[in-house]
């Protein structure tokens, strides 16, 4: 007898399978099997069975569910038992008796076969064969579908990625295409699948289809999510345009098995373009494959190049590139006008070796700082004939980039620019020390004004303003009218104006928070038949869990807040958690005689980090979504502690 989790929850005995009906015991069994061989606390099981709002008799009802499962096991001859342990229950299962454990065991064995690609491919195919459809389709547990199903789906996607890598490496592009056409359509935001599909098409001699697929995914990412394709996707497109030989395919990423990273051999690097292809795309010819590209002026661009139109080309070696368009940009009319006027004004007088900071755009994480800066940059591009450069000041994992590294990239990019003035957007600055080397360059006398600079940061950076001057634009949440305008622009007037009250409700549930509204519209665009009133009810039940893109977990309100809180000093994080869990009165100004449990100096630091907003009421307030996130995170942490 076997348990099946990788699809509808079922019991299988040879060819015979019993799919369990949706019920409270089915919720309980799924929760136990997902944590097989580990004690699971009664509190967690109660949440999995009944949700966050539990009946007063939940503990007694849980015992009843356990008894019903034991009777079911006895009826079907299941030898596995549910045993009571201190504080909860545990179910014991081996890989042959539970498909989830069997899948992980086979993937782990495949990882040891990396020297034999055919054997590894066969093992992974065998592991993936255990998946039998929509995960836990007959389990009606919001908690499990929110917290567990996305993690399981990610394990499967990693295995599928690896299978496609192996097929490409073995030269079996036709087989890879069969899997990749399906994967890219089911998971449109999963860029690695698109990269593999484009590579498979190109290696199959279908260059035009490969480029068409790149344009399709680029359009999707810009329109739906407001982001550019990944650097690896952009490099692949450039290689296809140049007609480069990609060389033997190789695995592109480490395998991840239950949180353990297994390193893989590095892929063979893409070779440099030959002389003819380099010349065809506007660069001077290289002397030989692998030689550095040289511009028409004889300069060797280290990090970026500028096209004939005066716009910066993407930088492969760093997080530097042209300023992208912002789809569906709405609102911020006054801020955009003021920022545009500031950027196009004549540079202030001053010594040439001291470049004043033009503008600082600051505010909470997800408030729309980058979108505003990029939108305005596009509006004023005629004033900057040398181009506009977006400089990411953090790495992909959120870690700040060293100032020296950024300065080198910017210097290389500016060295390749055309005549006239350029515009720099230093995006997501973590602290003032990252910026100062870029604002006080050692230029030559008489070189003229340097680039205009826009800094976006969650921090107030008051010290930088004090030493370098500049103008500050602090952003807050959207007004009700701006939120409604965003829904109109993104979803279309016909859909929104048919249900204006529901649209206003949706905006209110999102707290008029730009990042939340952007995620919401992306979800609604994938469900054109969903009424806005039904969406408002559905979102209002659990906004934090539902303001996420299921195929791209990084795009979520909870992930955004987690990354922001992760940057805080632990003492500040602890203070903020205390404020968010306590009553709003903790944020009141009590005067110097009674500052409360969190001092005014600490509250000022939290406000400077964009986590406390200006009142009313009182001098500070915490956005409702952020407060709810902190409280929910604390509850989950406490329950996990209890479980252990």
């Amino acid at each position: 007898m076997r348990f099946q989790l990788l699809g509808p929850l079922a019991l299988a005995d040879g060819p015979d399978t019993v799919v369990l009906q949706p019920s409270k015991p089915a919720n309980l069994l799924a929760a136990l099997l997902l944590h097989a061989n580990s004690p699971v606390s009664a509190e967690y099981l109660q949440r999995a069975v009944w949700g966050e709002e539990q009946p007063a008799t939940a503990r007694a009802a849980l015992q009843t569910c356990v008894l019903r499962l034991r009777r079911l096991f006895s009826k079907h001859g299941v030898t596995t038992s549910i045993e009571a342990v201190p504080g909860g229950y545990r179910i014991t299962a081996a890989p042959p008796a539970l498909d989830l454990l069997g899948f992980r065991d086979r993937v782990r064995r495949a990882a040891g076969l990396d020297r034999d690609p055919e054997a590894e491919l066969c093992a992974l195919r065998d592991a993936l064969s255990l998946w039998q459809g929509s995960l836990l389709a007959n389990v009606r547990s919001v908690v499990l579908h929110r917290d567990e199903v996305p993690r399981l789906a990610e394990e499967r996607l990693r295995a599928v990625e690896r299978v496609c890598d192996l097929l490409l490496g073995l030269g079996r592009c036709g087989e890879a295409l069969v899997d990749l056409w399906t994967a890219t359509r089911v998971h449109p935001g999963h860029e690695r699948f698109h990269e593999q599909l484009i590579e498979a098409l190109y290696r199959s001699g279908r260059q035009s289809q490969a480029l068409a697929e790149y344009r399709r995914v680029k359009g999707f990412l810009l329109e739906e999510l407001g982001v550019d394709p990944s650097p690896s996707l952009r490099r692949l497109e450039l290689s296809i345009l140049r007609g480069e030989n990609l060389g033997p395919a190789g695995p592109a990423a480490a395998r991840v098995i239950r949180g353990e990273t297994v390193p893989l051999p590095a892929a063979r690097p893409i070779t440099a373009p030959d002389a003819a292809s380099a010349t065809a795309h506007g660069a001077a010819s290289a002397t030989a494959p692998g030689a550095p590209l040289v511009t028409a002026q004889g300069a060797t661009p280290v990090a970026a190049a500028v096209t004939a139109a005066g716009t910066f080309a993407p930088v492969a070696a760093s997080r530097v590139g042209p300023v992208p368009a912002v789809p569906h940009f709405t609102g911020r009319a006054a801020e955009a006008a003021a920022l545009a006027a500031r950027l196009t004004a004549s540079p202030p007088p001053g010594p040439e070796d001291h470049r004043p900071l033009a503008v600082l755009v600051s505010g909470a994480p997800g408030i729309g700082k980058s979108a505003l800066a990029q939108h305005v940059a596009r509006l004023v591009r005629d004033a900057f004939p040398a181009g506009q450069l977006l400089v990411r000041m953090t790495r992909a994992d959120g870690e700040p980039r060293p100032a020296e590294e950024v300065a080198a990239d910017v210097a290389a990019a500016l060295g390749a620019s055309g005549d006239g003035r350029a515009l720099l957007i230093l995006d997501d600055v973590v602290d003032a020390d990252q910026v100062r080397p870029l604002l006080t360059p050692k230029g030559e006398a008489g070189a003229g004004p340097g680039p205009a600079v826009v800094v976006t940061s969650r921090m107030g950076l008051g010290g930088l303003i004090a030493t370098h001057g500049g103008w500050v634009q602090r952003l807050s949440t959207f007004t009700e009218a701006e939120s409604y305008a965003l829904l109109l622009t993104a979803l279309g007037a016909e859909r929104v104006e048919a249900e204006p009250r529901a649209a206003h409700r949706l905006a209110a549930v999102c707290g008029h928070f730009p990042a939340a509204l952007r995620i919401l519209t992306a979800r609604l665009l994938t469900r054109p038949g969903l009424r806005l009133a039904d969406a408002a009810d559905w979102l209002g039940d659990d906004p934090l869990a539902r303001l996420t893109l299921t195929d791209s977990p990084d795009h979520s309100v909870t992930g955004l807040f987690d990354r922001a809180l992760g940057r805080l000093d632990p003492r500040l994080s602890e203070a903020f958690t205390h404020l968010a869990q306590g009553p709003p009165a903790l944020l009141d100004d009590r005067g110097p005689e009674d500052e409360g449990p969190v001092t005014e100096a600490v509250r000022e630091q939290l406000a400077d980090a964009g986590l406390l907003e200006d009142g009313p009421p009182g001098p500070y307030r915490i956005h409702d979504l952020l407060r709810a996130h902190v409280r929910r995170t604390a509850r989950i942490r406490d329950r996990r502690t209890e479980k252990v």
Side-chain angles (χ1 to χ4, degrees):
M1 187 68 70
R2 305 185 312 280
F3 295 104
Q4 293 183 345
L5 273 177
L6 304 181
L9 180 62
L11 296 176
D13 186 8
D16 299 323
T17 301
V18 177
V19 177
L20 303 185
Q21 293 299 313
S23 63
K24 296 295 189 294
N27 292 358
L28 173 61
L29 178 59
L32 288 168
L33 291 174
L34 285 166
H35 301 276
N37 304 318
S38 298
V40 186
S41 70
E43 289 78 7
Y44 175 83
L45 293 173
Q46 288 167 204
R47 285 199 309 121
V49 174
W50 286 280
E52 301 293 349
E53 301 297 329
Q54 302 164 18
T57 59
R59 185 170 289 273
L62 180 66
Q63 296 173 349
T64 301
C65 287
V66 171
L67 291 175
R68 290 176 62 185
L69 283 179
R70 287 171 174 165
R71 293 194 192 106
L72 178 69
F73 288 2
S74 177
K75 175 182 177 181
H76 291 284
V78 178
T79 56
T80 301
S81 63
I82 300 175
E83 56 181 323
V85 296
Y89 296 91
R90 175 174 58 203
I91 192 169
T92 304
L98 176 58
D99 58 359
L100 175 60
L101 297 182
F103 169 76
R104 289 171 176 164
D105 184 59
R106 295 179 195 190
V107 171
R108 189 173 290 106
R109 291 180 187 177
L113 300 172
D114 56 293
R115 295 182 182 276
D116 186 347
E118 288 283 4
E120 184 183 359
L121 177 62
C122 183
L124 286 173
R125 292 274 199 203
D126 186 38
L128 288 168
S129 69
L130 295 174
W131 291 73
Q132 301 296 323
S134 182
L135 275 172
L136 301 182
N138 56 334
V139 175
R140 304 291 190 259
S141 170
V142 173
V143 171
L144 295 184
H145 281 276
R146 182 191 68 201
D147 298 339
E148 302 293 343
V149 167
R151 178 173 58 82
L152 294 182
E154 185 63 26
E155 290 187 51
R156 179 182 178 276
L157 292 182
R158 294 295 184 114
V160 174
E161 280 182 24
R162 180 60 183 164
V163 164
C164 294
D165 275 335
L166 290 167
L167 288 171
L168 291 174
L170 291 167
R172 292 154 61 176
C173 296
E175 289 183 54
L177 285 172
V178 174
D179 291 329
L180 289 168
W181 281 121
T182 301
T184 53
R185 272 51 184 174
V186 174
H187 306 283
H190 196 99
E191 290 187 66
R192 178 61 187 145
F193 285 147
H194 290 287
E195 185 179 348
Q196 291 172 317
L197 174 60
I198 293 167
E199 181 181 343
L201 287 169
Y202 182 56
R203 290 182 182 277
S204 301
R206 297 152 71 175
Q207 182 180 20
S208 60
Q209 280 186 271
L211 292 172
E213 182 64 20
Y214 175 83
R215 288 192 294 271
R216 195 190 70 79
V217 67
K218 179 180 180 181
F220 171 83
L221 293 171
L222 284 173
E223 290 296 324
E224 304 297 335
L225 306 177
V227 298
D228 286 321
S230 65
S232 57
L233 257 177
R234 297 199 299 267
R235 288 195 296 270
L236 179 58
E237 183 219 15
L238 189 59
S239 297
I240 294 172
L241 286 170
R242 290 170 170 170
E244 294 178 12
N245 177 7
L246 300 184
R255 284 189 295 277
V256 177
I257 305 166
R258 283 288 283 172
E260 302 171 4
T261 301
V262 181
L264 298 172
R268 180 172 175 172
I270 295 175
T271 58
D274 59 19
S277 63
T279 304
H281 293 281
S285 62
T287 57
L293 295 178
V294 182
T295 66
Q297 291 76 24
T300 304
V302 176
V306 181
T307 68
T311 57
F312 291 94
V315 181
S318 68
R319 295 176 63 77
V320 177
V323 177
V326 181
H328 306 314
F329 185 89
T330 56
R332 309 290 193 203
E335 294 91 337
L339 179 53
R342 184 77 183 184
L343 291 175
T344 53
S346 300
E352 293 175 353
D353 65 346
H354 184 88
R355 182 188 307 153
L357 171 64
V359 181
L360 166 65
V361 182
S362 63
I367 208 68
K369 304 178 292 295
S370 301
L372 175 64
Q374 293 170 28
H375 174 70
V376 172
R378 306 274 294 191
L379 294 179
V380 301
R381 57 182 175 271
D382 291 343
F384 299 96
Q388 300 165 311
L389 191 66
L390 179 65
V391 185
R392 310 283 187 184
M393 301 298 287
T394 57
R395 303 189 191 281
D397 60 1
E399 288 297 310
R401 298 175 62 204
E404 316 80 58
E405 175 187 308
V406 176
D409 285 351
V410 171
L414 293 177
S417 64
D419 296 332
R421 200 175 186 210
L423 172 65
L424 295 181
I425 298 179
L426 307 181
D427 190 45
D428 199 15
V429 169
V430 176
D431 57 50
D433 290 338
Q434 272 191 304
V435 183
R436 288 195 174 98
L438 303 176
L439 301 178
T440 55
K442 304 301 181 182
E444 297 179 4
V453 180
V454 177
V455 169
T456 73
S457 179
R458 300 171 187 176
M459 307 299 294
L461 302 182
L464 188 67
I465 298 297
T467 58
H468 287 73
W471 178 69
V472 179
Q473 178 66 65
R474 183 84 175 183
L475 299 184
S476 60
T477 54
F478 276 162
T479 64
E480 187 173 350
E482 286 175 325
S483 296
Y484 189 78
L486 174 60
L487 294 177
L488 276 174
T489 305
L491 301 178
E494 181 179 356
R495 187 175 183 184
V496 174
E497 290 177 350
E499 300 180 82
R501 290 187 178 180
H504 283 292
R505 282 177 57 207
L506 283 170
V509 173
C510 290
H512 304 289
F513 201 72
L517 287 165
R518 174 61 63 191
I519 292 169
L520 170 68
T521 55
R523 295 208 68 169
L524 291 178
L525 283 168
T526 64
R527 299 181 179 183
L530 181 64
R531 294 177 61 250
L532 298 189
D534 294 335
D537 293 337
W538 166 79
L539 181 63
D541 288 341
D542 194 349
L544 284 175
R546 289 165 182 172
L547 285 171
T548 184
L549 301 179
T550 54
D551 63 335
S552 183
D554 286 342
H555 292 90
S556 69
V557 169
T558 55
L560 177 71
F561 289 157
D562 279 336
R563 290 189 291 273
L565 295 171
R567 287 189 184 181
L568 288 180
D569 177 277
R571 290 171 295 180
L572 283 179
S573 180
E574 183 179 352
F576 183 72
T577 300
H578 183 77
L579 290 173
Q581 290 185 277
L586 287 179
L587 296 171
D588 290 345
D589 185 4
R590 306 181 184 184
E593 299 300 325
D594 180 17
E595 291 187 311
V598 179
T599 65
E600 181 180 0
V602 172
R603 283 178 281 165
E604 277 292 307
Q605 287 179 280
L606 292 170
D608 190 58
L611 297 175
L612 295 184
E613 303 176 4
D614 294 335
Y620 310 106
R621 60 187 173 87
I622 299 175
H623 192 278
D624 290 343
L625 284 177
L626 182 53
R627 184 186 290 275
H629 171 71
V630 172
R631 290 177 172 177
R632 177 184 169 197
T633 302
R635 288 197 304 269
I636 292 173
R637 183 183 61 246
D638 292 344
R639 287 178 181 127
R640 286 175 178 169
T641 303
E642 293 170 7
K643 176 181 172 181
V644 174

